[in-house]
Amino acid sequence: MTTVLVLAWPNDVPLNTLMVPLMLGSLLLGPRHLPWFVVFLMVMLMLAVGRQEQITVRIVLTIAIVFLLCFIVLVTSFRRSRLGVAGVLGESMLVDLRDRILNQGGIPTLPEGWLAETALRSAGGTPFAGDFVVASRARRDSRVELAVVDVSGKGEQAGTRALLLSGAFGGLLGALPPAEFLPAANDYLLRQDWDEGFATAVHLSLDTATGEFEVRTAGHPPAAQLDAGSGRWTVLQGEGPVLGLIEDAEFTTVRGLLRSGDALLLYTDGLVETPRRDIGMGIDRMLGQAERLLRDGLDGGAARLVDSLGSENDDRALVLVHRR
């Protein structure tokens, strides 16, 4: 309709009106049809120019701007052809994938007397992060499996790898015995053969019936346990290499018991590590902050801790597990 108006009344309808269908086409048309639509608009523009009574400097500048926009849309359509969907549909696919990551990080319903919270903040506030959480609980089992993973890179740079790994690790977590999860995750990363494909992780296997737990780390900051009796936090040091670097890697197991009032913290290095500070000092600072912020109760504690620690330029993730 717009092209018809421009051709029918070339002296009354401005040429830049063609920008409207150009913009709509770039949003709604797929990569197969968009280049032909752009070519059609360029032809219509030249026909409209031929019907102008006088070619002024203003018309020349309008033609140049419209041609420049057409060229930009063509370039983006060729890049979009790798995905094979239109702009709006591609964005909705990414949003759906992001929501699936967040849903996988949701903690399953725990028995009465247990509290588990997660908090995730991405670098720069983008919706995609290189840190993610996966959790699993069998319907007829008292054991809960949790894993906090930190993919190499930050924010959107690591978002694509996190999209893939969250689904793979979520499947492994629910299908394998606790001792086999990190070795299987390590083998999976090695098979990807990425240039920057390593990741760190901490894995918690908790029996909610007895409070017994096992923690295994893979190049990741250690978990921390709160002893309600003394009010002190203890770092649960474990050993294990970064995922995706060494074949047949072995991961040590730290076992413990959560009594009434005790708690566990699983977190990523964005909360405790900075270029000018040793990670050990960062962990001490985090535990001091936890002691202060959680003194009046642990409900909502995960979000409070994440918001008070780390930098907005780092991905940050934290899981708080508490036995009431």
Side-chain angles (χ1 to χ4, degrees), residues 137-159:
R137 181 192 178 195
R139 293 183 179 180
R140 300 181 180 179
D141 194 351
S142 61
R143 185 165 294 277
V144 177
E145 306 286 335
L146 295 169
V148 179
V149 184
D150 183 358
V151 180
S152 57
K154 297 180 181 178
E156 295 178 353
Q157 297 178 355

Side-chain angles (χ1 to χ4, degrees), residues 179 182-183 186 216-218 239-242 246-253:
L182 288 181
N186 182 61
R216 298 173 179 86
T217 57
E239 295 182 0
V242 173
I246 302 174
E247 294 184 3
D248 300 324
E250 296 182 357
F251 307 92
T252 60
T253 302

Side-chain angles (χ1 to χ4, degrees), residues 1-8 17-18 21 37 40-41 44-45 48:
M1 174 62 83
T2 304
T3 56
V4 173
L5 293 176
V6 172
L7 288 176
T17 306
L18 293 174
F37 181 72
F40 169 75
L41 287 180
M44 293 298 102
L45 175 63

Side-chain angles (χ1 to χ4, degrees), residues 139-217:
R139 293 183 179 180
R140 300 181 180 179
D141 194 351
S142 61
R143 185 165 294 277
V144 177
E145 306 286 335
L146 295 169
V148 179
V149 184
D150 183 358
V151 180
S152 57
K154 297 180 181 178
E156 295 178 353
Q157 297 178 355
T160 53
R161 291 191 293 273
L163 285 172
L164 175 62
L165 293 182
S166 64
F169 285 10
L172 294 174
L173 191 67
L176 296 175
E180 297 180 14
F181 168 68
L182 288 181
N186 182 61
D187 292 342
Y188 179 84
L189 268 172
L190 287 171
R191 289 197 302 271
Q192 305 312 306
D193 197 24
W194 289 333
D195 293 334
E196 192 180 358
F198 60 90
T200 68
V202 56
H203 171 220
L204 168 67
S205 179
L206 171 66
D207 189 338
T208 56
T210 63
E212 296 177 345
F213 67 84
E214 298 177 352
V215 173
R216 298 173 179 86
T217 57

